[in-house]
Amino acid sequence: MERLERALVACNRGLLIVLLLVMACIVFSNVVLRYTTGDAIYWAEEVARHLMVWITFLGAGLVLRFGGHVAIDNLHQAVGPRGARWLRAFVLACLGLSFLLMAYHASLYVWATRFQTTAATGVPFAWIYAAMPVGFVLLFLHLLFIARTYVLEGRHAESSEMDAEAAASI
């Protein structure tokens, strides 16, 4: 199970790096062309926007995993250790259920937009909106991997390469 978790995190991070690099290259090239030749790449803004959507949904799970999302933990501290465990279990169950419901409804939305295409590239919107169910499933998987440690100890995943502050900046 630990190998699967490491592989998921590595693939998730690798894909994020590639998408961010592609987006940065497209935007940089478009800016350079606009200021040097006066012409722009007609599809650059659209593709960069769609890459940003994918980066956002793919990165949300990693941010959750390392504790980078906004959290208010005053109540956890006020109810004592046993109450805090119950509260964290409740929060975890609510998050898990929300992620699964959002993945389901996002899948319906993807299906509904399968015949619509983007203006500049002609790519079906379903490919862009597929980021939503994929992202929510990844959020759910990352939540499952940290669930035990989070409920029992109130800690998120730890890594020598990433902490909550670095995760929040993804």
Side-chain angles (χ1 to χ4, degrees):
M1 194 61 130
E2 191 174 312
R3 241 171 74 186
L4 176 66
E5 183 179 3
R6 280 197 314 266
L8 175 72
V9 171
C11 288
N12 198 176
R13 286 182 71 193
L15 188 56
L16 279 171
I17 290 167
V18 168
L19 291 177
L20 190 58
L21 181 64
V22 168
M23 187 182 73
C25 288
I26 289 170
V27 170
F28 179 75
S29 300
N30 197 35
V31 169
V32 168
L33 282 172
R34 187 178 302 132
Y35 285 104
T36 57
T37 66
D39 291 326
I41 305 170
Y42 73 94
W43 49 262
E45 181 198 348
E46 183 179 283
V47 171
R49 187 177 342 112
H50 298 151
L51 286 172
M52 181 63 77
V53 168
W54 271 94
I55 290 167
T56 300
F57 279 100
L58 292 178
L62 283 177
V63 174
L64 173 80
R65 167 184 204 78
F66 295 109
H69 288 289
V70 174
I72 301 170
D73 60 357
N74 292 354
L75 186 57
H76 293 250
Q77 296 166 356
V79 295
R82 184 181 167 121
R85 274 190 225 106
W86 281 103
L87 185 59
R88 286 191 297 265
F90 176 72
V91 167
L92 189 115
C94 289
L95 284 173
L97 181 62
S98 296
F99 295 155
L100 291 176
L101 284 171
M102 290 301 292
Y104 171 73
H105 287 286
S107 297
L108 296 177
Y109 190 72
V110 168
W111 183 254
T113 61
R114 69 190 181 281
F115 298 118
Q116 298 174 9
T117 58
T118 61
T121 57
V123 173
F125 272 110
W127 286 102
I128 292 123
Y129 295 148
M132 293 184 299
V134 169
F136 284 117
V137 167
L138 281 173
L139 273 162
F140 184 74
L141 290 174
H142 284 294
L143 185 69
L144 287 180
F145 283 126
I146 66 163
R148 187 166 199 260
T149 308
Y150 175 71
V151 170
L152 296 178
E153 303 170 23
R155 291 184 306 116
H156 290 85
E158 295 175 2
S159 170
S160 59
E161 303 168 350
M162 182 93 49
D163 61 0
E165 199 170 311
S169 68
I170 288 182

